[in-house]
Amino acid sequence: MTAELVRGQNHPLSQARLEIRVSAGKPIVAGVTLSDEHGKVRGVEWVAHPGSPTLPGLEVSKQAAADHRLACDLDALPQSVHRVSVLLALPSGVGGPVRFGAVAAPFLAVTGLDGSEVASYTVTGLDAESAVVALELYRRQGAWKVRAVGQGYAGGLAELLADQGLPQAPQLAGSINEAVAQGLARSVAAPPPRTAEGDRSRHAATPAHGQDQGGTTSQGTPDHAPPHRRHPGGQAASPASGPTGHATPQADYPGGPGQTDPSATTQPAMTGADSPVDYSHPGRQAAEPPSPPPTAPPARPGQPAQPVAGDATGWSMEERLYNQVWGMFEDLARSAAAYRSAVDFAESRMEQELDKTLSDPRSRIGGQGDAAREAARAKHAELVDRAREAFDRDLAQLTAEAEVVEPALPAAFARWASPVWHGYRVPMEIPMALRLGDLQLPESDGLSIPMLVRLPLERGLWIDSGRGSLDGSLTDSDELRRLAMDTAVGHAARLLAVHPAGEYTVHVIDPAGSGTSSLAPLVSTGVLGGPPAAGAAGVNEVLARLTQRVDLVQMAIRGGVTDSLPPDLDTAEQLLIVNDFPHGFDDRAVTQLRYLADEGPAVGVHLMMVADREDAAAYGPLLDPLWRSLLRLTPVPDDHLADPWVGHAWTYDPSRVPPGSKVLQRVLTQVAEARRSWNR
């Protein structure tokens, strides 16, 4: 699996013979420097560049190009080499771009000899820089690793080489630029780019005329998606796969791929000489491609593009908004990771420079040592300030996007305070996801990302009533239990509200009746499948009924006889809310609960636990699989969730009904009325 690095992140290398592939879109210079254990380049003989492309264990390109392949054999390097730095620079004096901010972000991939990618890195955040240290391979305790550096230099190669301790930096930079200019003068000019219509049209020869027939034309020029934006979780639907996963025609719209699906332009039919060729797919003439998402208005010169709600891939506005929210989540995660890594890099560099200064007895006293320490601290402050500036720029862009996206979210994705709930109507279709709260990072300055989970739920939910707030302001156990039950009722109400009438049934187990006040909205409106079960007998009756339902549906599915289920079986999705666990549960009930948590989601039976894990400590490790199978949520903000890319600890803030608001009662009343109409 390829490791997608962010600035400052490293990854171990298990192979000695590697290839480093570089793609930049415009001709750039690629080179390599070798450094000792102190990070110093000992001389020009430790630099591989177009004028001197080979060194022991290294080979680079002989001229500037848009794509490079650098060969590296770590075992063949001298023992004194501890670091291999990959340099990229824009050619000077040849009439091309003079800063990386004017070209596409360079992409680097470290691969094995078989072509399998080990790690990749996209060098982002460059502006006025014309040279950059993109990657470095370094030796640590006898093992090699790769690190994403992304350190740019506005002074070009001369400044870069000088920063690596090379005394002859200006002369070497001049000779490299001269060799590159000579190589470009001898190179063959690239063919002119094809037009958008030529790229996206397929022409076929007609034997009768021997001329090209016009093909299908593109539906528009695709805009560029926001930086780092990918399909969230690696499984979001793309234009090439419809909601059901079948192949469907691919549209060419903003954020989507810039090429047509081959199925959309098939081989021409055998028609008459004067008849136009029909390029449409005979089996898909009834299928309409998705309407293109809204596009941002043209940006003013020097200003970033204005964000637009739904500016992501998808077959519906709901799917586009879902993908856009997950894209914002990933963007914030990666931007924060780049900022933290840059700060760590600056601190590590300052420590190295201070250690180097203190290691020389002559510099420990006098003005020379003080000057060196001040220079190291100033460099550290400069690097941190630059990293913060880049992060603030990303944060401002995401904040502007969030301000546009939040008001456009449908009820299933919206906060309880959103105006969309005032116009609520019971839906006719199940949404693709549900909002459970908001996620924040310490550096995000108030920016929160909606936490959306796909429906139907693949895991049960655990509302933890046993931990206080992060700031210690709420530690009362009774108040926490009440808030936990209020949170569970809010989630259950949202699940009922976003499902069509009769498609969702909620059961409640409240053995001691401690959740009566919190359950009042569900009970008073009559949306529950039955009154809350109380006492041990009520617990056993509900668990036995749901366990039997799971068994019946499983057997019907395995036997292929789903049409033979009992007529009185409720085929709606089932949600069981359990309060005050393990009060009222015997060993048999605990076993049934574990069975529902493991087997229930696959057949439409879901579990929502409101419990303090310490209350069930008497069961020991027996219940560990149960807690691990549930998605833990909290009634107060808590930093216990981690993203799948860089592992940040995100602060989860539950979705709450505004104080004094009647929105919950009003929505549940409409749900109850729709259920009664559906049952008639």
Side-chain angles (χ1 to χ4, degrees), residues 195-273:
T195 63
E197 183 175 355
D199 283 342
R200 302 185 183 120
S201 301
R202 180 172 297 185
H203 302 283
T206 305
H209 295 287
Q211 297 177 354
D212 291 342
Q213 297 281 353
T216 56
T217 59
S218 65
Q219 301 176 11
T221 303
D223 295 338
H224 292 289
H228 310 305
R229 188 62 53 88
R230 303 186 311 158
H231 296 308
Q235 57 185 2
S238 67
S241 61
T244 59
H246 299 294
T248 48
Q250 184 173 359
D252 189 17
Y253 52 80
Q259 58 185 8
T260 50
D261 187 343
S263 63
T265 53
T266 59
Q267 296 296 328
M270 297 301 294
T271 60

Side-chain angles (χ1 to χ4, degrees), residues 419-637:
V420 72
W421 288 106
H422 296 290
Y424 169 77
R425 295 291 183 271
V426 177
M428 300 298 293
E429 295 182 354
I430 300 175
M432 67 182 302
L434 185 83
R435 185 173 190 157
L436 293 180
D438 295 275
L439 298 172
Q440 296 178 345
L441 287 175
E443 302 93 342
S444 60
D445 294 336
L447 172 64
S448 61
I449 307 295
M451 178 181 174
L452 305 180
V453 296
R454 294 296 294 263
L455 292 179
L457 297 174
E458 297 179 356
R459 303 171 62 186
L461 303 178
W462 167 29
I463 315 300
D464 190 354
S465 60
R467 179 172 176 176
S469 56
L470 288 173
D471 57 5
S473 59
L474 183 59
T475 57
D476 182 75
S477 60
D478 293 336
E479 181 67 11
L480 277 172
R481 294 177 189 274
R482 185 190 65 79
L483 285 177
M485 197 60 193
D486 288 346
T487 302
V489 170
H491 292 324
R494 185 181 288 264
L495 284 163
L496 284 166
V498 302
H499 281 78
E503 293 291 331
Y504 212 81
T505 303
V506 177
H507 310 272
V508 176
I509 291 179
D510 188 19
S514 59
T516 302
S517 60
S518 297
L519 291 169
L522 298 177
V523 175
S524 62
T525 55
V527 295
L528 293 178
V539 171
N540 292 329
E541 190 274 331
V542 172
L543 291 177
R545 178 157 36 92
L546 291 177
T547 301
Q548 182 185 32
R549 183 190 186 279
V550 172
D551 291 337
L552 288 173
V553 176
Q554 280 187 339
M555 288 187 293
I557 293 176
R558 291 168 184 169
V561 289
T562 54
D563 55 345
S564 300
L565 288 168
D568 59 342
L569 183 73
D570 185 3
T571 58
E573 296 279 319
Q574 309 287 311
L575 174 68
L576 174 61
I577 302 177
V578 178
N579 186 34
D580 265 357
F581 177 80
H583 182 77
F585 281 74
D586 54 21
D587 292 344
R588 176 181 174 80
V590 170
T591 302
Q592 289 176 322
L593 191 68
R594 286 187 55 186
Y595 177 73
L596 292 178
D598 293 338
E599 305 295 335
V603 292
V605 177
H606 310 283
L607 183 62
M608 185 185 296
M609 299 270 292
V610 182
D612 180 0
R613 189 169 181 174
E614 293 300 321
D615 292 344
Y619 287 93
L622 177 66
L623 291 181
D624 286 350
L626 173 64
W627 304 119
R628 287 195 298 265
S629 68
L630 304 175
L631 174 61
R632 177 175 173 261
L633 303 175
T634 54
V636 292

